[in-house]
Amino acid sequence: MAVFSDITARKVNEERMHHLALHDALTDLPNRALLTERLEQAIVHARRDRSRLGLMYFDLDNFKPINDNFGHAVGDLLLKEVARRVVGCVRESDTVARLGGDEFVVLLPRLENDKDVLPVAEKIRDALSEAFIFAGDSLEISASIGVAIYPEHGDDEKTLTHNADAAMYQ
């Protein structure tokens, strides 16, 4: 005698839970946990290859007034569109993550030199400077961006993260 049961639904649910544990629920971008994992791995590779990597922290300037004046639904739409635009500014091998609220991070795991970060930052600023149109309302935002380069600004995940975050506020 044998008993068989279809575990497809359970496996799909497990995969969904794993995805939710590593991705932002609103934007579907990697979250802090997955970013940390990827950054630590990128540091290992950069150390081994004696190469550089870049870490950009950015947040949206004056995001709170948009949420206050237009509501959280519009704020959520704005965050989703920001995510889409920023992903369009980077290579497939790069990581765009949302840490929460209006704070995002871009990991550039392979840089030829330090200056390679600047065109990416400019591309992101240009993409975000274009008006966002929601329900007939035109919203304009800007972003504050801070950059840290491995190994100059830190040789571990915690130091690089701290320095990129601090640079964003300068």
Side-chain angles (χ1 to χ4, degrees):
M1 178 182 282
V3 176
F4 294 97
S5 65
D6 185 2
I7 62 168
T8 304
R10 188 177 89 201
K11 287 293 187 186
V12 167
N13 194 38
E14 286 174 6
E15 288 175 18
R16 187 175 149 275
M17 296 301 288
H18 180 72
H19 183 83
L20 288 173
L22 298 174
H23 292 82
D24 175 60
L26 179 66
T27 63
D28 203 38
L29 292 175
N31 64 14
R32 186 181 304 272
L34 185 52
L35 172 69
T36 299
E37 182 181 309
R38 288 184 181 176
L39 177 55
E40 288 172 347
Q41 192 65 25
I43 290 170
V44 167
H45 287 273
R47 187 175 291 132
R48 183 191 64 215
D49 299 340
R50 297 177 197 249
S51 62
R52 293 171 152 45
L53 67 83
L55 190 66
M56 280 190 282
Y57 263 58
F58 74 92
D59 68 9
L60 306 178
D61 301 328
N62 301 313
F63 178 71
K64 187 176 178 341
I66 291 172
N67 256 349
D68 292 346
N69 295 329
F70 296 95
H72 291 284
V74 170
D76 288 351
L77 289 172
L78 178 64
L79 292 171
K80 288 179 186 180
E81 182 61 17
V82 165
R84 189 191 69 74
R85 288 185 188 185
V86 173
V87 166
C89 294
V90 299
R91 303 169 295 195
E92 200 172 309
S93 60
D94 301 333
T95 297
V96 178
R98 178 173 176 238
L99 301 186
D102 65 336
E103 191 171 21
F104 294 82
V105 177
V106 178
L107 168 61
L108 306 168
R110 285 209 157 278
L111 298 176
E112 292 298 318
N113 63 62
D114 299 356
K115 291 181 172 77
D116 290 345
V117 173
L118 297 177
V120 178
E122 286 300 319
K123 196 172 180 182
I124 290 170
R125 278 196 152 166
D126 290 346
L128 297 180
S129 70
E130 295 176 23
F132 294 81
I133 311 295
F134 300 112
D137 292 316
S138 177
L139 305 176
E140 294 185 12
I141 61 166
S142 60
S144 297
I145 301 175
V147 176
I149 306 291
Y150 170 89
E152 289 85 346
H153 303 128
D155 63 356
D156 61 45
E157 178 269 334
K158 189 174 185 175
T159 305
L160 279 172
T161 298
H162 172 78
N163 289 335
D165 190 38
M168 178 179 66
Y169 287 103
Q170 285 184 353

